[in-house]
């Protein structure tokens, strides 16, 4: 992440006890869990958005960690025709 003169925050509007706003700072990392200890339950507090950069430039990188084969549902639903195909949409 790079320093930004104005804007560019990552905002977690559902964080408790109050919404969280994190300003980008060079050399810092922002890490959170999108799921709870039960991987199938979404952590609503992880809902986030990026604010527009008003002054300066923001460079950042995403790194997603998956505890299991995250494309398995897609793979098996296509093989077993559980969800239909894209042509059915």
């Amino acid at each position: 992440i790079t320093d930004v003169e104005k804007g560019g925050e990552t905002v977690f509007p559902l964080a408790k006890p109050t919404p969280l706003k994190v300003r980008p700072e060079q050399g810092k990392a922002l890490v959170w869990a999108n799921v709870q200890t039960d991987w199938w339950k979404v952590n609503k507090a992880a809902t986030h958005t990026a604010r527009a950069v008003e002054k300066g430039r923001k460079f950042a990188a995403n790194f997603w960690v998956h505890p299991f084969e995250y494309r398995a549902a897609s793979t098996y639903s296509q093989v077993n025709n559980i969800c239909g195909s894209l042509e059915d949409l």
Side-chain angles (χ1 to χ4, degrees):
I1 294 181
T2 55
D3 286 327
V4 175
E5 294 178 60
K6 186 175 180 185
E9 300 91 356
T10 300
V11 180
F12 296 83
L14 303 179
K16 298 202 177 188
T18 61
L20 176 65
K21 182 176 13 174
V22 182
R23 186 173 55 87
E25 292 184 41
Q26 184 173 341
K28 300 277 176 113
L30 182 59
V31 180
W32 64 89
N34 287 337
V35 296
Q36 299 175 17
T37 53
D38 176 348
W39 293 340
W40 302 108
K41 289 188 178 180
V42 173
N43 179 1
K44 292 180 183 179
T47 301
H48 61 283
T49 185
R51 293 270 172 92
V53 173
E54 297 177 41
K55 186 174 182 185
R57 295 175 75 176
K58 179 179 177 180
F59 294 95
N62 294 325
F63 182 76
W64 294 15
V65 178
H66 300 277
F68 52 85
E69 173 53 53
Y70 72 98
R71 295 182 185 202
S74 170
T75 301
Y76 293 119
S77 66
Q78 289 174 7
V79 170
N80 298 316
N81 201 23
I82 295 169
C83 299
S85 65
L86 291 176
E87 290 79 29
D88 296 334
L89 297 176

